Amino acid sequence: MASEPRRIVVVGAASGIGAAVAEHFHGRGDHVLAVDIREHRTPASQYLRCDLRDAASIRATLEQIGDGWDMLAHVAGIPGTAPAADVLKVNYLGMRLMVEGMLPRLREGGAVVTVASTAGLGWEQRIDVLNELLELTDGDAVAAWQERQDPTYPVYTTSKQATILYTKRLAGPAWTKYRVRVNTVSPGPVQTPILPDFERTMGKEMLDGVKATVGRHATVDDIVPVIAFLGSPEAGWITGQDVQVDGGFITALVSQPPIELV
C-alpha cells in the first residue's frame, strides 16, 4: 500500500540538489513547498521567495508557511566566490533562523535535513572559534565576526563547519521539545551549476584529485536518496548525525593506509 502524501518544505529549490529534492518528493505525490530567492520552474505544489541574508525575509516566509509539515530539507547555500559575509549569512545564519523557525511548524516525528559539505571536515579542531560564531544570531554581528577572522581561511569551510556543529547541538533540544530529528548530509563535489565556483575557490586540481580517488564526481541522484531517507520515518532513531555522501573520499583520506586486497 502506498504511503500517505507528506508535506515537505524544500529551501533552495531552484537548482542543483535542492531542485532534485523537490522534484523527488513531488514525483512521489507529496505536497512540496519550494522556497528560493529566485523564480524557478522546479516541480512543486507551492512556491515562496525568501532571501536568507535577511532575517526579516525569513520571518515573513515562516509566517506564510504555516504549520503541519513533515520535513524541512534545507539545501540552500552559496559558494565561497560570494562575499564572505553573505556566505556566512546564507549558509549558516539564514539556515539556523529557518530551521529554528520551522521546528514548531513540524509535526511530532518530523525531520530536518540540512545539506552541509565535506568541506566542513575538521570542525572538531575549531570548536573554540566556532563557539564564538554560534553565539551570534544577528547578521551584522556575524559579518563583524568574519571581518576579525583570518582572511586566508575559507569562509565556505567555516560556514559548513558551523552548520554541522550547530545541528549536533540542536539535536537534543529539538527532540526533547518537538520530537523532531535533525541531521546533516555532507556531499563531496557534485555535478551542479555551482561546481565551477567550487573549482575557483578550492582549486580545480584538488577537485580533480577527489574525482581521481573515487572515480567520478557525484550527481544529484547520489545525494537525494540519502536526504529522503533521513527525512523518512524509517530513519526515526537517527538524529544529530552528519552523513558524508562522497564516494568514500573522506574515509580514504583519514583512515590511511588502505587495506590491500589480493
Side-chain angles (χ1 to χ4, degrees):
M1 180 180 294
S3 61
E4 290 292 321
R6 300 168 72 220
R7 289 168 52 81
I8 314 291
V9 177
V10 181
V11 179
S15 64
I17 297 172
V21 170
E23 187 170 0
H24 167 81
F25 285 113
H26 184 73
R28 291 179 70 252
D30 294 325
H31 182 97
V32 176
L33 169 58
V35 180
D36 205 285
I37 191 173
R38 296 169 288 174
E39 293 185 358
H40 58 93
R41 296 184 178 180
T42 299
S45 311
Q46 291 178 258
Y47 301 87
L48 285 176
R49 296 183 69 178
C50 181
D51 185 350
L52 291 173
R53 298 169 299 181
D54 182 359
S57 178
I58 296 171
R59 288 193 298 271
T61 300
L62 288 165
E63 289 174 1
Q64 297 179 73
I65 283 176
D67 300 328
W69 297 91
D70 295 290
M71 177 185 176
L72 167 64
H74 196 286
V75 191
I78 58 176
T81 49
D86 285 352
V87 173
L88 278 185
K89 288 178 182 178
V90 172
N91 294 2
Y92 164 64
L93 182 59
M95 174 278 302
R96 176 175 181 168
L97 296 177
M98 182 64 73
V99 168
E100 291 181 9
M102 278 297 301
L103 284 175
R105 292 170 167 80
L106 290 162
R107 296 189 177 111
E108 283 196 11
V112 175
V113 183
T114 299
V115 172
S117 171
T118 55
L121 181 70
W123 62 267
E124 301 95 330
Q125 285 75 51
R126 300 190 75 221
I127 287 180
D128 288 346
V129 174
L130 296 172
N131 280 342
E132 299 175 2
L133 178 57
L134 265 62
E135 291 176 357
L136 307 176
T137 56
D138 172 78
D140 290 340
V142 165
W145 179 88
Q146 175 57 32
E147 289 180 358
R148 299 192 299 271
Q149 306 310 304
D150 180 354
T152 66
Y153 194 89
V155 66
Y156 182 81
T157 292
T158 296
S159 73
K160 295 304 183 178
Q161 290 174 340
T163 295
I164 293 168
L165 181 57
Y166 165 75
T167 301
K168 288 183 176 295
R169 290 182 174 175
L170 179 66
W175 179 255
T176 299
K177 185 170 183 178
Y178 297 107
R179 286 295 184 262
V180 169
R181 299 176 298 104
V182 295
N183 293 286
T184 53
V185 170
S186 284
V190 183
Q191 293 283 2
T192 65
I194 64 171
L195 183 60
D197 292 277
F198 292 124
E199 290 178 342
R200 286 171 56 192
T201 57
M202 299 178 184
K204 188 175 186 303
E205 289 186 2
M206 192 277 283
L207 294 188
D208 285 346
V210 175
K211 181 192 289 187
T213 300
V214 299
R216 62 176 174 85
H217 286 327
T219 69
V220 293
D221 292 335
D222 296 311
I223 313 303
V224 170
V226 183
I227 296 172
F229 169 70
L230 287 174
S232 73
E234 287 78 12
W237 207 235
I238 302 175
T239 192
Q241 302 304 305
D242 177 50
V243 181
Q244 294 172 348
V245 190
D246 65 348
F249 176 74
I250 296 299
T251 293
L253 187 69
V254 302
S255 63
Q256 295 285 348
I259 299 295
E260 294 187 13
L261 299 177
V262 293

